[in-house]
Amino acid sequence: EITWCPSSSTDITGYLISYRTGDDVTQSLQIDGSATIACLPNLKMNNLYSITVQSVSSRKSVESNKIMLSTYVPGDVRVESVTPASLKVSWTLATDLDIALRYKVV
């Protein structure tokens, strides 16, 4: 899932989201101009994606800065110290990467 701030332009008709893996396979997704969130389909595990969001209007299109998204899975996930109000989750980092990662626990 990716989110963005809406364009300040009043003539935005849509957004074009492009995402590409390191093997240069590009996928695109067209989104309505009122949207500010999209779910990227067909992501594969253990990949690094380059993503851009481009506003589309009748006058001109503006592309966002490129962002990077990783789908690397942590290893050795453990649930520890379970209480009625909390639990502790730990894991090992993906060590074959040379980038900083953040994990979202859901």
Side-chain angles (χ1 to χ4, degrees):
E1 186 172 280
I2 183 172
T3 62
W4 59 91
C5 295
S7 172
S8 60
S9 177
T10 58
D11 65 341
I12 297 298
T13 58
Y15 294 95
L16 178 64
I17 302 168
S18 299
Y19 50 108
R20 180 174 50 156
T21 62
D23 59 5
D24 287 333
V25 175
T26 300
Q27 298 180 64
S28 296
L29 183 63
Q30 185 78 35
I31 301 294
D32 182 79
S34 63
T36 58
I37 188 170
C39 187
L40 303 180
N42 304 318
L43 296 181
K44 294 189 171 118
M45 298 308 298
N46 298 320
N47 274 298
L48 185 62
Y49 290 90
S50 170
I51 304 168
T52 57
V53 178
Q54 180 178 356
S55 63
V56 179
S57 75
S58 57
R59 292 185 293 146
K60 69 176 186 174
S61 297
V62 177
E63 189 171 279
S64 70
N65 291 332
K66 187 184 314 180
I67 61 169
M68 304 302 286
L69 169 73
S70 169
T71 58
Y72 287 88
V73 178
D76 194 26
V77 177
R78 298 177 302 280
V79 177
E80 307 165 346
S81 305
V82 177
T83 71
S86 68
L87 58 91
K88 177 182 175 184
V89 178
S90 62
W91 59 85
T92 57
L93 300 176
T95 58
D96 56 344
L97 301 174
D98 60 353
I99 60 172
L101 294 176
R102 291 185 303 174
Y103 292 102
K104 181 177 181 181
V105 179
V106 181

